[in-house]
Amino acid sequence: MLTDNFLKGRRRREMSAEERAALESVMGDPVTLPRRRIVARRDEVVAQSTFLVSGFMCRYMDSLDGQRQLVSIQTSGDFVDLHGYPLQRLDHDVATLSECVVAYAPHDKLTELIEAFPHLGRLLWFSTMVDAAMHREWIFRLGRLDAVGRVAHMLSETYCRLHSVGLVKNHSFDWPLTQQDLGEACGLTGVHVNRTLRVLREAGMAEVSDHVVTVLDYDRLASAGEFDSDYLYLNDHTRTP
């Protein structure tokens, strides 16, 4: 099923078989998008929400001088722009980072779904609240952590999110972000990111090579990033990789 990773590792077990089938029924056919493709523009009116089946996507904003700031990264199982359902437009841009498979849920069908399955509607609401919790954590990371802490936090968060949906193998996961992307998420220059990754590698915490992140010592990496997975609202058995 396209939506197998929706809330996986969180509250997936609360969904009945009927609710799972109903959610699947509102999804259109899967679509493959190339890497580095802009999917939605700021201020566009949206009539559907994008569910990320596989791959990495991002939401970002541009300053007046053209500098990009990533404000979120989406991974498999995420609704990329579900908040656009009640808001009816986006206040940021959305793009792919890797090749992605997505499915679209028309907003009129989401309305019918929520009316027919109010519990499922609350779970969709829960998913947007988790998204908001991650935004708050990103604000903390940018405002209070140094360069090593910011990158360590980002890698720890991604590790936990991908582990919860079974996409970590032998402590490694795919990482399509460039050093520039990571800098734009962490408020650092590409040169600073390069130095920071070297520090993490030489300290035996994590290594980034050939678009793969290998976490060498999760506990030390999380400690360096002041990372605690509580805000991800994972099930107890998936909280600690």
Side-chain angles (χ1 to χ4, degrees), residues 3-16 19-20 23 77 118-130 164-165 232-238:
T3 59
D4 277 349
N5 282 344
F6 178 63
L7 296 185
K8 186 176 181 181
R10 290 191 174 94
R11 296 173 61 177
R12 179 76 178 184
R13 60 193 175 192
E14 296 181 23
M15 293 175 62
S16 68
E19 288 172 331
R20 295 180 188 183
L23 179 61
H119 174 256
L120 181 55
R122 290 191 292 274
L123 290 179
L124 291 168
W125 186 18
F126 168 80
S127 75
T128 64
M129 294 300 98
V130 172
S164 72
V165 294
L232 296 175
Y233 291 87
L234 298 172
N235 297 338
D236 289 343
H237 70 281
T238 58

Side-chain angles (χ1 to χ4, degrees), residues 33-163:
L33 303 176
R35 62 188 297 273
R36 308 288 162 174
R37 165 71 63 86
I38 296 174
V39 177
R41 289 286 193 180
R42 180 175 182 169
D43 288 330
E44 281 186 355
V45 175
V46 290
Q48 60 188 10
S49 288
T50 307
F51 181 78
L52 182 54
V53 180
S54 65
F56 283 71
M57 297 179 71
C58 68
R59 302 201 293 257
Y60 68 94
M61 302 174 74
D62 289 322
S63 62
L64 291 177
D65 63 359
Q67 298 296 310
R68 187 176 71 156
Q69 177 69 44
L70 299 191
V71 295
S72 73
I73 292 175
Q74 267 62 54
T75 58
S76 177
D78 290 345
F79 264 106
V80 178
D81 50 7
L82 188 58
H83 53 288
Y85 167 58
L87 295 174
Q88 299 183 348
R89 67 177 180 84
L90 301 180
D91 50 26
H92 52 270
D93 298 321
V94 180
T96 62
L97 291 168
S98 67
E99 181 177 273
C100 295
V101 176
V102 302
Y104 298 107
H107 288 170
D108 56 348
K109 290 188 177 181
L110 282 177
T111 297
E112 295 174 1
L113 180 73
I114 292 169
E115 290 175 350
F117 298 91
H119 174 256
L120 181 55
R122 290 191 292 274
L123 290 179
L124 291 168
W125 186 18
F126 168 80
S127 75
T128 64
M129 294 300 98
V130 172
D131 200 47
M134 286 192 282
H135 278 297
R136 290 189 289 273
E137 196 73 12
W138 279 44
I139 293 170
F140 162 77
R141 181 175 70 218
L142 288 173
R144 289 291 176 253
L145 300 182
D146 61 13
V148 171
R150 294 179 192 183
V151 174
H153 188 286
M154 168 69 79
L155 297 181
S156 297
E157 177 185 276
T158 308
Y159 185 73
C160 283
R161 292 172 67 190
L162 294 180
H163 179 268

